[in-house]
Each structure stands twice: as structure tokens, then as C-alpha cells.
Amino acid sequence: MRPTLFRQMVQERRWTTSETFSTHFAKAGRELAEQTGNRRLGEISVPRRTFDRWMAGEVRSLPQRDTRRILEHLFQQPVAKLFHTSDSKMLMAAVPLPAVRQSSRPLASSQTGMFDDPLSVAAQTESLTRSSVDAALLEHFRGQLQGIVDRYETSGPQALAGEARMIRSTLHTLLSGQHLPAIRAELFGLTSRAAGLLAYMAVNAGSGPTVAEAYCTEAEVLAKHIGDTQLQMWAAGTRSLSLYYQRRYSEADAAAAAGIEMAPTSHQAIRLLANGRARALARLRVVP
């Protein structure tokens, strides 16, 4: 019997039977599946023999990836820490170290503490490259947002704002997780687009100007972080429209002009000139 943090935490929670532990493990899996949209996580179970081995500390390799994710969600601890023991055979089986070249000399026993535990290194690497969002889920949200755009002319903000808000809220939840840079950038872009749509809806629905401005700011900030100039310009155009409806024509013109400066030759610049500056300047009776 090898003492592990897993055994300690299971005992503290009084989950010491396979049935009790499996109940809590399944619940954690369902929670994680709901958060990530990965339904497979809600279907994973731990066989009795596996649970007994974990309790005995007989862990020769890390559990499968999805099982690790559920365990870390359940205990809020890295799997490597949950199952760590001082058994060097387990460490070597989990993460084989590179072969030592013939020219290398063995380290003195007093120097072995210079380096990290190989199992911890493997777990840290896996944690850094783990993402609860995959390409299919990103594509799902792209399709949902495009669906709102496609239906906007016929349905209007009253029918679609709730759907857009739900998408934005879900994306915010996903952003709270850990992702590779490319995945996080995609999530930033989708969340920025959702906020931009809500800003536009807020203007057309006649909501207070602070509502549209809050969504515009979120869209701009997220788009700026990923270098998406087109999304920033869209937000600038929506802000200009909001200011126009507030009869703040000089400010509406300035907002549109600021957007144009980001990319004067882009198609968004044409929109900002026609629907932003020209409209505001017409009210001011100024020829640009």
C-alpha cells in the first residue's frame, strides 16, 4: 500500500467504496461535459479494479486523457500530484527519460534533486497543451453566429438577442479554461463577434446607450488583442450609429473616422464612410 494524495482525499471525503467514488466521478464528468460541450466526458466511468489500484497506489502510468481531466476537475489537483509516490519504477514507466550518452557521467546521488520529478514534468506539459475546446466546437459557434446574421433581417433583435446572449455567455465560460494560444485567439474572435452583434442589436432595439457602448468596448478590446482590425472597425461603426441616434452627430462622425483610420482601404472603411461619416456630416450640413 503506497500513500498518495488521491487516497488521502478520497478518505477525507469518505468516498472509500467504488460505488460512492463512481457516483462523484460521474457527476464531475457530467459537469465538465456541460461546460465544454464534450458529451463523451459524461459517459466515462472508473472500473472497480482501477479504483482499487488507485487506492493502493499501484499506478504505473497516468490515466487516459479524459479520465485525467475529470479527476482534475473533481479534486482540483494535477493528476501527477494525486498519484505521486516515491516509487522510481512508476516514474520511469510513466515518463521514460532520454538514454544517457556514453560520454555522459552518472550524476552523484546528491545532485539528483537538481531536476524536476519526470512525472510532474509530463503532467505540466500535458496541462499546458490541454484545451477543453476542439475545432468542432469552434465551428459550431461560428455557425450559430452566422445563423443569427442570416436571420437578422427577418427576425430582428427582439427574437435573436436572447440567443446571442447565450452564445456570448457560453464563450465567456469557455474562455475561463486553459487553451493553446491559437484556440484562445479563436475564442476571443468569436466572443468579440458575439459582443459586436449584441451592440448592434442594442442600438436597433433602442436600448440605453450604455448597453451598446459596453458591448462595443468588449468587442473592440478582444479584437485588438488578436489583431482583428475588421472587428474593431465594425465596433467603431456600431458606436457611430449609436451616437447618431443620440443626435450626437460630431461624436458619431469622430467614431467613424477613428474606425476608418485603422484600415482606410478596407471594405469596412467604405461602410464607415457611407453609413457613419456621411450620415453624421449630413446632419451637421458639412461636406467631408
Side-chain angles (χ1 to χ4, degrees):
M1 185 76 67
R2 301 185 182 94
T4 61
L5 180 60
F6 173 83
R7 179 182 176 84
Q8 176 187 330
M9 296 184 78
V10 167
Q11 289 177 331
E12 288 174 353
R13 289 162 171 75
R14 300 182 181 178
W15 300 347
T16 51
T17 66
S18 175
E19 292 77 10
T20 303
F21 172 78
S22 294
T23 298
H24 292 283
F25 182 88
K27 180 181 178 183
R30 291 192 296 270
E31 290 175 353
L32 200 56
E34 185 175 349
Q35 291 177 14
T36 64
N38 184 353
R39 289 188 230 170
R40 185 176 66 253
L41 295 172
E43 301 169 357
I44 296 173
S45 61
V46 176
R48 179 189 294 272
R49 288 184 60 188
T50 300
F51 173 73
D52 291 341
R53 287 201 307 271
W54 289 353
M55 288 295 287
E58 297 175 359
V59 182
R60 298 293 173 180
S61 61
L62 291 172
Q64 294 295 318
R65 179 177 176 178
D66 287 343
T67 302
R68 294 200 300 269
R69 292 173 65 184
I70 297 171
L71 285 169
E72 290 177 348
H73 179 73
L74 178 61
F75 291 109
Q76 295 298 299
Q77 294 285 347
V79 164
K81 187 175 180 180
L82 288 172
F83 294 114
H84 173 74
T85 75
S86 58
D87 187 341
S88 60
K89 291 181 180 179
M90 182 192 76
L91 300 182
M92 295 300 289
V95 186
L97 295 177
V100 179
R101 295 181 300 174
Q102 290 183 354
S103 59
S104 300
R105 292 184 301 172
L107 290 173
S109 59
S110 62
Q111 292 178 302
T112 55
M114 295 170 58
F115 301 103
D116 296 298
D117 172 7
L119 186 58
S120 295
V121 173
Q124 289 163 352
T125 301
E126 196 276 336
S127 177
L128 288 172
T129 57
R130 180 179 61 206
S131 176
S132 56
V133 177
D134 56 22
L137 189 59
L138 291 173
E139 186 60 35
H140 169 73
F141 284 113
R142 288 192 203 99
Q144 284 194 315
L145 290 172
Q146 186 58 50
I148 290 176
V149 173
D150 293 342
R151 288 177 283 137
Y152 191 81
E153 291 299 323
T154 55
S155 300
Q158 288 78 9
L160 297 174
E163 183 179 344
R165 287 179 63 196
M166 185 177 298
I167 293 172
R168 174 183 170 273
S169 176
T170 304
L171 289 168
H172 270 265
T173 299
L174 293 174
L175 275 169
S176 66
Q178 181 173 309
H179 311 287
L180 290 170
I183 297 294
R184 180 163 291 275
E186 287 276 0
L187 287 171
F188 264 48
L190 289 167
T191 309
S192 174
R193 191 178 179 194
L197 283 171
L198 283 164
Y200 188 69
M201 291 181 187
V203 172
N204 290 331
S207 300
T210 56
V211 176
E213 178 57 31
Y215 286 131
C216 278
T217 299
E218 177 174 297
E220 283 179 329
V221 169
L222 295 180
K224 185 175 182 180
H225 274 289
I226 59 174
D228 193 324
T229 302
Q230 297 301 306
L231 277 174
Q232 292 179 72
M233 294 175 76
W234 172 268
T238 303
R239 176 179 289 112
S240 176
L241 183 64
S242 176
L243 291 166
Y244 176 85
Y245 285 137
Q246 296 172 55
R247 300 183 180 181
R248 296 160 63 181
Y249 304 125
S250 294
E251 293 171 78
D253 175 51
I260 292 168
E261 287 180 9
M262 296 180 193
T265 60
S266 72
H267 69 278
Q268 287 286 359
I270 297 173
R271 168 179 174 259
L272 286 166
L273 279 168
N275 296 336
R277 296 209 67 191
R279 181 161 42 187
L281 292 174
R283 289 290 184 176
L284 293 169
R285 293 180 171 79
V286 175
V287 178

